[in-house]
Amino acid sequence: MAKDPVRVLVTGAAGQIGYALVPMIARGVMLGADQPVILHMLDIPPAAEALNGVVATTDVVEACTGVNIAVMVGGFPRKEGMERKDVMSKNVSIYKSQASALEKHAAANCKVLVVANPANTNALILKEFAPSIPEKNISCLTRLDHNRALGQISERLNVQVSDVKNVIIWGNHSSTQYPDVNHATVNTPAGEKAVRELVSDDAWLNGEFITTVQQRGAAIIKARKLSSALSAASAACDHIRDWVLGTPEGTWVSMGVYSDGSYNVPAGLIYSFPVTCQNGEWKIVQGLPIDEFSRKKLDLTAEELSEEKALAYSCLS
Ligand SMILES: NC(=O)C1=CN([C@@H]2O[C@H](COP(=O)(O)OP(=O)(O)OC[C@H]3O[C@@H](n4cnc5c(N)ncnc54)[C@H](O)[C@@H]3O)[C@@H](O)[C@H]2O)C=CC1
Ligand SMILES: O=C([O-])CC(=O)C(=O)O
């Protein structure tokens, strides 16, 4: 029997990421080839002409009405040389007002993915100003960083990226994020092997590998003068697909979610954790040992998020 259609909202639909994302969703990359979708595409009036190229609306209420999944890409993008904090004030007020629109008009149990930067803090603002949307339904994108970390390891070891798994992005989608390979493995003909053992170069893993992943977004903006649109769109599809359809057995992914205090990360931040997903719900992977090097990095990125939270509130007051 044909499935009921799912309504998917994409904000910023006329932008770089939106232009790549919309056809991926229509093609079934996000929810599967057998899942009909009804796309709601929102942008702002100055983008109306570009928006005609993808068919959509500049009316936030129309865009949010009845949506089951909201991918929030709309906002003011970081330009070359700009720190993420520079874009904060422009974006938190957008997320405050769109929170209200989603709360009033989206379907009950709508799942929200915030892509626009500062992604974690925009998601937190959205959560705070949409109190009736359950906090477990609000997330931000760190899957792009996760995929970048998998890519770095696969290149270094000359293996397929699909054979590498269980890297972790901890914290903020920013240059303080901590890409952690301490629990990552590679599928080899001789069975699963630890990434640390196979790479056998802790100086690289604790140095250049981390900074390359942390700085990849900035490096792409510098090169393209535009954001990493295709890989961001693809990562957004990965994020929603795994959230809705589940993560494979034995595999976790990174998602920015509301901290419950796991791993001594302060509660009340949207922080990227390792998660598994089943039946449309994510669960933080518990009990992973955290060494001293990692602890410092988990704390540093949490501190930045606490500062961003304070700054966001000061922008709104
Ligand atoms: N979390 C992640 O991994 C990544 C996040 N990003 C972020 O994603 C966002 C989008 O990036 P791009 O598509 O390259 O930017 P873009 O500037 O090409 O597109 C943004 C779109 O949002 C629209 N927009 C602005 N205000 C809006 C509003 N109030 N409602 C609806 N739409 C609105 C703009 O008109 C524009 O069409 C940026 O914030 C960027 O920093 C980019 C790459 C990765
Ligand atoms: O800062 C940006 O807009 C780009 C970005 O997030 C990324 O590519 O990871």
Side-chain angles (χ1 to χ4, degrees):
M1 203 174 72
K3 291 182 170 175
D4 287 338
V6 169
R7 291 181 182 272
V8 182
L9 166 67
V10 177
T11 73
Q16 291 288 311
I17 296 175
Y19 192 69
L21 179 58
V22 163
M24 286 185 193
I25 300 172
R27 220 170 65 225
V29 176
M30 179 178 274
L31 293 167
D34 62 342
Q35 175 61 64
V37 291
I38 299 172
L39 278 159
H40 293 220
M41 293 169 275
L42 177 72
D43 214 292
I44 51 174
E49 200 182 328
L51 203 58
N52 285 333
V54 290
V55 186
T57 181
T58 55
D59 180 325
V60 69
V61 172
E62 187 186 354
C64 291
T65 298
V67 295
N68 308 101
I69 291 171
V71 186
M72 311 298 285
V73 188
F76 189 89
R78 181 167 66 149
K79 303 266 167 66
E80 189 182 0
M82 273 174 95
E83 266 308 311
R84 295 171 73 264
K85 281 175 187 158
D86 301 333
V87 294
M88 171 89 68
S89 63
K90 292 188 188 296
N91 282 308
V92 291
S93 57
I94 296 175
Y95 279 79
K96 182 181 169 189
S97 69
Q98 293 189 346
S100 310
L102 279 173
E103 182 167 46
K104 287 199 195 98
H105 305 290
N109 220 21
C110 174
K111 285 180 165 55
V112 182
L113 165 61
V114 177
V115 175
N117 281 316
N120 302 54
T121 300
N122 286 340
L124 184 66
I125 294 298
L126 198 150
K127 182 214 153 288
E128 305 267 304
F129 289 93
S132 69
I133 300 181
E135 64 202 28
K136 66 176 174 32
N137 286 22
I138 295 175
S139 66
C140 83
L141 188 71
T142 54
R143 184 63 174 269
L144 176 54
D145 312 286
H146 183 100
N147 290 347
R148 286 168 174 159
L150 294 175
Q152 287 292 310
I153 299 296
S154 88
E155 234 175 74
R156 175 79 180 202
L157 293 173
N158 200 17
V159 297
Q160 297 286 334
V161 75
S162 55
D163 284 332
V164 188
K165 68 174 185 179
N166 295 352
V167 297
I168 303 168
I169 302 298
W170 298 97
N172 200 359
H173 172 67
S174 78
S175 56
T176 67
Q177 67 177 256
Y178 172 42
D180 176 0
V181 295
N182 287 338
H183 315 281
T185 59
V186 180
N187 192 15
T188 75
E192 260 184 21
K193 295 254 192 277
V195 162
R196 265 205 194 270
E197 191 187 315
L198 290 177
V199 170
S200 191
D201 183 351
D202 284 347
W204 182 77
L205 284 173
N206 294 347
E208 196 184 326
F209 162 75
I210 293 177
T211 49
T212 301
V213 177
Q214 288 173 331
Q215 300 292 338
R216 186 68 188 148
I220 289 176
I221 291 174
K222 189 160 191 295
R224 268 173 42 85
K225 318 291 178 222
L226 293 168
S227 70
S228 36
L230 193 66
S231 51
S234 173
C237 290
D238 291 344
H239 176 114
I240 296 287
R241 190 196 57 238
D242 285 346
W243 191 2
V244 173
L245 301 177
T247 42
E249 182 70 31
T251 300
W252 63 64
V253 294
S254 303
M255 278 173 70
V257 295
Y258 196 63
S259 170
D260 59 355
S262 291
Y263 295 97
N264 288 324
V265 169
L269 297 174
I270 299 271
Y271 190 97
S272 179
F273 286 101
V275 301
T276 53
C277 304
Q278 222 184 352
N279 303 323
E281 302 217 346
W282 53 264
K283 207 159 67 181
I284 297 173
V285 176
Q286 298 293 337
L288 298 172
I290 304 293
D291 63 17
E292 204 181 322
F293 177 86
S294 303
R295 183 72 255 165
K296 288 202 180 103
K297 298 216 172 293
L298 262 73
D299 291 345
L300 185 81
T301 189
E303 272 165 39
E304 184 185 50
L305 281 168
S306 298
E307 283 166 25
E308 277 191 15
K309 180 178 181 177
L311 185 63
Y313 272 96
S314 73
C315 294
L316 289 173
S317 60

